[in-house]
Amino acid sequence: MYNSKRLRLCKRRLNEIKFVNSVYKGTFQQSLNLELLSSSIKNSKFYKKQPQMLVVTVDKIKMIIFNSGKFRIMGNFIPTLKNAKREIKKFKLWSIPSQLTCQTSTVVTRLNKKNINLSRLFSHLQFTNVNKYIGYCELESFPAIALKIWDPLHVNIFASGKIVITGVGCCNFCKCMYIKQYLCNCINMIF
C-alpha cells in the first residue's frame, strides 16, 4: 500500500515537470563519409559547408552526425540512457554507438500562481540571496526573470507562472522539484 501511494505521488510530480528537449552526444568510433551515408539514410540532409554534417530527422527526433563519427541526438524524450538508445534505434543506422552521454535537457513547469509581478519577485529573491549574483530582471529586453542561483542551471520565470529550466542534465528531477517548491514558497511569502 505504501509503495503504491509513493508511486502515484512520483507520477503526479513527474507530470508537473515536462522534459521538452534532451540532448545526448556520442561517437561511432570511426570517421564517416557523410555524402555517401546521406544517400542510404531516409529523411537526411547533407551539409557540405564547414562543419560538414548530416542531419537526420525521425519522429521529431533529430540526429546530427559529423565526419569524425561524433553525433548529437536531440528531441522530446525523458533523458535516460535507455530512452536515448531507444530513440537512436529508430534511425536504423548500421550500428549503435558505444559512447553515449547526456549533455543537457530543458524542463518546463508552472508555478501555483499566474500574473506574477516579476519585479517584486526579483527584489525578494535578491533580498533572500544577499552577497550572491542571482541573475537579472530587465523586463524591457527579456520578459522574464533569468536566475543563476542554481548554477549551472538557468531558470527563467515568466509572468504567466511558467518556468523554463535549461542545463538540467540527466534526469535531475529532484533538483527541478526543489527549484519549483522554492519559488512557490517565495511567491506565497510576498503575495
Side-chain angles (χ1 to χ4, degrees):
M1 174 100 163
Y2 175 73
N3 285 337
S4 64
K5 278 185 178 179
R6 201 166 139 187
L7 183 63
R8 281 195 307 271
L9 178 64
C10 285
K11 283 182 180 179
R12 192 179 86 230
R13 285 188 172 163
L14 185 59
N15 288 335
E16 293 173 6
I17 292 180
K18 304 261 188 245
F19 287 92
V20 294
N21 188 42
S22 298
V23 180
Y24 271 76
K25 64 181 178 178
T27 182
F28 289 109
Q29 299 290 337
Q30 63 189 27
S31 297
L32 303 170
N33 182 335
L34 297 179
E35 194 166 12
L36 183 64
L37 197 56
S38 69
S39 62
S40 64
I41 298 178
K42 289 198 303 188
N43 303 322
S44 67
K45 181 168 177 154
F46 175 60
Y47 292 89
K48 293 181 181 183
K49 293 185 178 180
Q50 288 296 93
Q52 278 193 354
M53 62 183 151
L54 183 65
V55 178
V56 187
T57 306
V58 174
D59 295 335
K60 297 182 181 178
I61 304 293
K62 190 170 283 195
M63 180 182 270
I64 301 172
I65 307 170
F66 300 96
N67 281 334
S68 63
K70 293 181 179 181
F71 70 91
R72 300 280 183 277
I73 181 170
M74 57 202 76
N76 188 358
F77 59 91
I78 295 176
T80 63
L81 193 56
K82 181 180 177 182
N83 288 344
K85 286 182 177 180
R86 183 188 69 229
E87 296 300 331
I88 289 172
K89 285 180 184 177
K90 291 179 183 178
F91 287 87
K92 297 180 180 161
L93 300 171
W94 62 97
S95 72
I96 298 295
S98 59
Q99 296 176 359
L100 198 57
T101 308
C102 182
Q103 191 168 5
T104 188
S105 293
T106 302
V107 168
V108 174
T109 188
R110 291 205 157 274
L111 292 171
N112 56 357
K113 186 171 173 47
K114 294 181 180 178
N115 300 323
I116 297 166
N117 182 326
L118 295 177
S119 298
R120 191 170 172 190
L121 177 59
F122 188 71
S123 294
H124 174 77
L125 290 167
Q126 281 182 312
F127 179 74
T128 57
N129 293 281
V130 178
N131 299 328
K132 190 182 212 183
Y133 174 74
I134 66 164
Y136 63 92
C137 180
E138 297 172 15
L139 299 176
E140 292 81 22
S141 59
F142 183 61
I145 297 172
L147 294 177
K148 292 285 288 169
I149 299 170
W150 301 281
D151 193 40
L153 301 181
H154 297 265
V155 179
N156 294 325
I157 307 165
F158 295 86
S160 65
K162 186 175 184 178
I163 303 172
V164 178
I165 306 171
T166 60
V168 174
C170 255
C171 276
N172 204 337
F173 174 72
C174 292
K175 184 78 168 191
C176 293
M177 285 305 300
Y178 168 78
I179 291 169
K180 179 180 179 176
Q181 190 60 51
Y182 176 84
L183 293 170
C184 285
N185 291 343
C186 288
I187 287 171
N188 288 338
M189 288 183 353
I190 61 174
F191 293 107

